[in-house]
């Protein structure tokens, strides 16, 4: 059986198979070829059970849990339950987060998730930030010469492997990456000198916006650069609407700060507006909390209050003690 070097799927000459390729001698499946050359993405049927089995099957090898700092998914506690060995917590995409929040994020994970963490590091593959330190940690804690990278889809697992291979080996192999969910479809083993890195398919969070918007909107939702927080002093009954995908109504005067991609358009309304495509949720929020909308970002609320938030049908939310 030959596997696609880009996503790990079994190659097949059957057009109906997800691993379709014109010739079994090809290194890439058609889907990876199109993502890499035309930025065209073919959606796959996603099944977390299959992906959790991969996590359950990990031996006592060093495991890196990769989390996108900007998009901490609602199902992270479930993912963690499947990790039975010791892990290094790798918080990535630090380039998107306003500076000075490093310690706060590390503290947040310590306080809220029961993880067998041997070490924590904040990195950015995009900016090559702390990649040397990550490589040193891998060499220090590596116990079987196999190192697994696991975590939510889109967290940046494959990008980290590409960066490590690029920086510290002679290989020119790269794994396929994209801003859409489920890019990596099966485990991929790749040599980094005498260590074998093992990429795994990311766990999907089905309540995240990234599963439900078209690729044009997705490009706006996923930030490219450091986020500039946007503050609003809002009066009673005012609405803030983000594109056609999210709304928030303040029941009383309040201050909120949006941490979302700065490419999104935001409108403020001073009267009732129609949001027929969105579902209303009435929520109570404590002082200094974040309302997290998976895939979109979060809203920092300064004073405890009631709000109405408006979400697309399958999209979730959760509230946490503010990290910022
Ligand atoms: N800003 C920023 N973007 C990043 C960083 N690392 C990865 N990305 C982007 O995040 C998206 C997802 O990256 P991948 O490496 O494909 O993520 P993955 O965890 O392998 O995803 P799956 O294969 O679906 O599980 C891509 O668009 C990357 O370019 C980073 O450090 N900073
Ligand atoms: Mg991947």
């Amino acid at each position: 059986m030959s596997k696609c070097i880009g996503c790990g799927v079994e190659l097949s000459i059957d057009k109906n198979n997800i691993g379709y390729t014109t010739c079994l001698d090809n290194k890439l499946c058609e889907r990876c070829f199109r993502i890499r050359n035309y930025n065209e993405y073919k959606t796959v049927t996603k099944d977390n059970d299959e992906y959790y089995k991969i996590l359950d099957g990990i031996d006592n090898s060093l495991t890196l849990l990769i989390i996108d700092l900007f998009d901490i998914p609602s199902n992270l506690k479930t993912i963690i339950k499947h990790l039975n060995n010791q892990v290094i917590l790798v918080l990535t995409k630090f380039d998107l987060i306003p500076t000075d929040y490093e310690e706060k994020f590390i503290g947040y994970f310590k306080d809220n998730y029961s993880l067998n963490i041997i070490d924590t590091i904040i990195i950015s593959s995009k900016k090559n930030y702390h990649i040397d330190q990550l490589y040193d940690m891998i060499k220090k804690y590596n116990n079987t010469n196999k190192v697994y990278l696991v975590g939510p889809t889109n967290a940046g697992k494959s990008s980290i492997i590409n960066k490590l291979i690029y920086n510290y080996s002679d290989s020119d192999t790269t794994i396929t990456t994209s801003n859409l969910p489920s890019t990596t479809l099966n485990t991929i083993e790749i040599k980094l000198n005498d260590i074998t890195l093992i990429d795994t398919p990311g766990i999907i969070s089905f309540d995240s916006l990234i599963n439900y918007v078209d690729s044009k909107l997705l490009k706006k939702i996923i930030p490219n650069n450091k986020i500039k927080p946007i503050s609003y002093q809002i009066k009673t009954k005012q609405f803030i609407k983000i594109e056609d995908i999210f709304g928030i109504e303040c029941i009383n005067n309040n201050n909120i700060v949006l941490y979302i991609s700065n490419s999104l358009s935001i409108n403020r309304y001073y009267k009732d507006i129609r949001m027929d495509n969105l579902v209303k949720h009435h929520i109570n929020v404590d002082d200094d909390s974040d309302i997290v909308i998976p895939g979109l970002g979060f809203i920092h609320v300064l004073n405890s209050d009631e709000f109405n938030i408006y979400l697309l049908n399958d999209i979730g939310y959760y509230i946490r003690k503010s990290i910022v």
Side-chain angles (χ1 to χ4, degrees), residues 98 106 143 200 211 221 248:
I106 290 174
N143 52 344
T200 61
N211 300 304
I221 288 179
I248 181 164

Side-chain angles (χ1 to χ4, degrees), residues 88 91 97 154 196 203 245 258:
I88 296 179
L91 304 171
I97 300 293
N154 235 24
T196 302
I203 306 295
I245 49 176
L258 307 186

Side-chain angles (χ1 to χ4, degrees), residues 93 95 125-126 153-159 177-178 182-184 202:
K93 305 197 191 178
D95 56 294
S125 308
K126 190 173 169 182
T153 187
N154 235 24
K157 300 178 291 300
S158 304
S159 302
T177 63
S178 86
S182 296
T183 305
T184 306

Side-chain angles (χ1 to χ4, degrees), residues 41 66 68 92-96 123-128 151-160 162 175-185 199-203 222-225:
Y41 178 87
I66 317 298
D68 174 348
T92 186
K93 305 197 191 178
F94 186 55
D95 56 294
L96 298 178
I123 68 158
S124 163
S125 308
K126 190 173 169 182
K127 299 284 182 193
N128 209 29
T153 187
N154 235 24
K157 300 178 291 300
S158 304
S159 302
I160 293 173
N162 287 343
I175 299 173
T176 307
T177 63
S178 86
N179 62 6
L180 284 133
S182 296
T183 305
T184 306
L185 294 175
D199 196 5
T200 61
I203 306 295
I222 297 183
N224 263 326
N225 301 307

Side-chain angles (χ1 to χ4, degrees), residues 209-222:
L209 258 178
I210 64 169
N211 300 304
Y212 302 99
V213 297
D214 61 29
S215 56
K216 204 171 142 208
L217 189 50
L218 192 74
K219 277 201 188 112
K220 291 172 100 180
I221 288 179
I222 297 183

